[in-house]
Amino acid sequence: MAFIAVLLSACNTPPHVRQLSLPVPVAEPSALNGGFRGMDRIGRGPDGKQNLNVLLVHGIGWTQDAKAQPFGHDLHAALGKFIGYTADPFMQSTRLCPQSARSGQIATKATAGGLKLHLKGSQRFRSDDPQAPFNIWIVGCLDRTRIETPDGGTITIYRLLWDDAFYNAFDYPLVGYDDGIQTGHEEPQANYGGYEDLAALRRSGTRKIRDSVLTYGMTDAALYMGPVGQLMREAVLGAICTTINDATGQTMDFEKLDEPGQHSRYIDVDTASACTSAADAKSAPVAIVAESLGSRMVFDVLSKDRDEALARKLEQVSGGELEVYLMANQIPLVAASRLSRVGDETRSSTPARTRTKVKYVAFTEVDDLLSYELVPYFEHLAYLRCRLDEKGVPQNPQCGAANPTSMVRQLKGDSQRRTALVDELGFDVVDVRVKFSPPIFPLALNYADYQEAHTGYLRNEQVRQALICGAEDGKVALSQMGGCKK
């Protein structure tokens, strides 16, 4: 047992930090560099008090995880340890969105609250049966939890829960008959009215993997890759704008939830997504945490599809920079669904510029099957700008006589070229490489626990330290006393 414990503990290695905008010697491709502020420094004001606002966006299949803690619990645990509060706000609030945990221990439909983000009218989608269209009106729910810190400050957590709305509208009609978990919140419920229980015929391990990876996982990703993806992005855009509006005092929607009989309110996502900004709007410290598929959704809204209204709204984020923390990001994996034909202005446009810098901090477990590091991803795309096509012509006319080999040499060691690349992209990227997942079985050392590798980020102490304290010169900014550097 002691031998196994040593093996499991050895899975934790110090975070490896790389930043896209900083050069790396060609001879040392794994050299550490760069950094980011982290939540503690983002939220801590000149008076030393915290005033942090964080938006959480979950990934695939969250609401169907029977054993999971409420969405956001792991982040609260991390903040509590470093900032010094112990209360679990999710066990006290009565204004949470429904289906924030399948077990029902937190929010049930009878007592659920939150802001229901909806479309102006129901949208209909054709299925394989032309007489069985799918309708959707609600595209997400946004709730708010506020914690008082020992220093007299506040930490406000906003949660966007989108999975329940899209599962009910699309995933359940498509694959719900094969539902091995039978969550009971969809229609029809429980006994399935005479359907054969196909899940019961499978081996228990196969059944678990099929449910977690396919029925409640890849179906969400498949939805995002089609026309429904636009509705998912509208939910994220509405949540970002509503979060910034609330943090800067431009809306009272959450306060109205405390009025008698107002457990929930319905917000037109078009109104929320308009991102209108008051002329005298103040600024507030804001950060975003997105998991799995949620990382691609947030990236598309903030960078690929950013419009003028959102660009102006982002300028209300204090400090001139928005840090977006990505856990198990799927940006490269889902990128194929966002390809657009050059010149097709109906599908793609140049993202609006903003004075607020956007920095993506991507935490990636090396054994996470669904996640890819982002610094080499954008380096790779930059190298391929000058790749020759079938006729021997560079694919990018601006390349001239350059070629991928020369691009590698230019980009690796030239700080000005890397700064120019970040300016061209409109954002910077920091990779935080971590390794914490144990073997899937104690003696199967060559196979990581795939589920823990993809979902266990915020339960890992080293990830928590980096997220809260940030990094400097490629290392987590911890003080000698174990807290965050000031």
Side-chain angles (χ1 to χ4, degrees), residues 14-18 36-39 75 288-292 295 323-331 359-368 370-375 429-436 453-458 460-471 476:
H16 180 282
V17 182
R18 281 277 317 281
F36 54 96
R37 289 182 294 168
M39 289 187 176
L75 176 60
I288 298 176
V289 178
E291 302 176 346
S292 188
S295 63
E323 287 193 348
V324 183
Y325 307 105
L326 309 176
M327 307 291 165
N329 88 84
Q330 295 184 355
I331 289 175
K359 179 180 285 186
Y360 294 101
V361 182
F363 291 80
T364 306
E365 216 283 3
V366 294
D367 287 313
D368 185 348
L370 299 177
S371 190
Y372 292 79
E373 293 188 9
L374 294 185
V375 170
V429 170
V430 176
D431 270 330
V432 183
R433 182 188 303 159
V434 292
K435 187 176 180 67
F436 56 79
H454 190 65
T455 65
Y457 287 81
L458 289 176
N460 178 261
E461 186 64 18
Q462 292 181 325
V463 172
R464 290 178 171 186
Q465 290 173 352
L467 176 68
I468 305 301
C469 298
V476 177

Side-chain angles (χ1 to χ4, degrees), residues 72-98:
H73 171 86
D74 292 334
L75 176 60
H76 274 291
L79 288 167
K81 178 174 181 179
F82 279 85
I83 297 174
Y85 65 85
T86 57
D88 186 343
F90 294 131
M91 299 306 295
Q92 301 170 5
S93 177
T94 60
R95 299 292 186 265
L96 298 180
C97 293

Side-chain angles (χ1 to χ4, degrees), residues 193-235:
Y195 289 0
E196 184 179 7
D197 189 356
L198 300 176
L201 304 177
R202 301 183 181 112
R203 292 180 173 89
S204 60
T206 304
R207 174 175 175 170
K208 178 182 177 181
I209 294 174
R210 184 184 178 96
D211 284 341
S212 62
V213 176
L214 295 177
T215 303
Y216 300 120
M218 291 306 175
T219 49
D220 286 335
L223 280 181
Y224 190 72
M225 294 179 185
V228 175
Q230 178 58 37
L231 305 185
M232 300 164 84
R233 290 188 288 276
E234 288 183 21

Side-chain angles (χ1 to χ4, degrees), residues 5-21:
V6 170
L7 289 175
L8 296 182
S9 63
C11 293
N12 286 278
T13 59
H16 180 282
V17 182
R18 281 277 317 281
Q19 187 163 338
L20 182 63
S21 58

Side-chain angles (χ1 to χ4, degrees), residues 261-394:
Q262 291 290 321
H263 287 286
S264 62
R265 288 176 59 80
Y266 290 83
I267 303 295
D268 187 335
V269 73
D270 291 330
T271 301
S273 298
C275 291
T276 53
S277 302
D280 58 347
K282 63 181 182 179
S283 62
V286 176
I288 298 176
V289 178
E291 302 176 346
S292 188
L293 180 61
S295 63
R296 181 73 215 193
M297 296 161 67
V298 169
F299 173 80
D300 283 340
V301 170
L302 285 178
S303 293
K304 194 171 180 68
D305 301 335
R306 184 172 64 226
D307 60 18
E308 293 290 346
L310 178 58
R312 290 192 298 272
K313 179 60 62 179
L314 293 179
E315 291 174 1
Q316 296 168 23
V317 175
S318 61
E321 183 176 73
L322 173 65
E323 287 193 348
V324 183
Y325 307 105
L326 309 176
M327 307 291 165
N329 88 84
Q330 295 184 355
I331 289 175
L333 186 63
V334 188
S337 70
R338 301 305 321 279
L339 296 176
S340 57
R341 192 189 308 272
V342 174
D344 184 358
E345 297 302 326
T346 62
R347 291 201 59 200
S348 178
S349 60
T350 301
R353 305 295 289 183
T354 176
R355 289 174 295 181
T356 297
K357 297 178 181 179
V358 177
K359 179 180 285 186
Y360 294 101
V361 182
F363 291 80
T364 306
E365 216 283 3
V366 294
D367 287 313
D368 185 348
L369 299 177
L370 299 177
S371 190
Y372 292 79
E373 293 188 9
L374 294 185
V375 170
Y377 172 61
F378 288 106
E379 286 179 339
H380 185 62
L381 293 179
Y383 301 156
L384 296 180
R385 290 180 178 186
C386 298
R387 182 175 55 172
L388 303 181
D389 63 16
E390 296 90 338
K391 298 179 180 180
V393 178

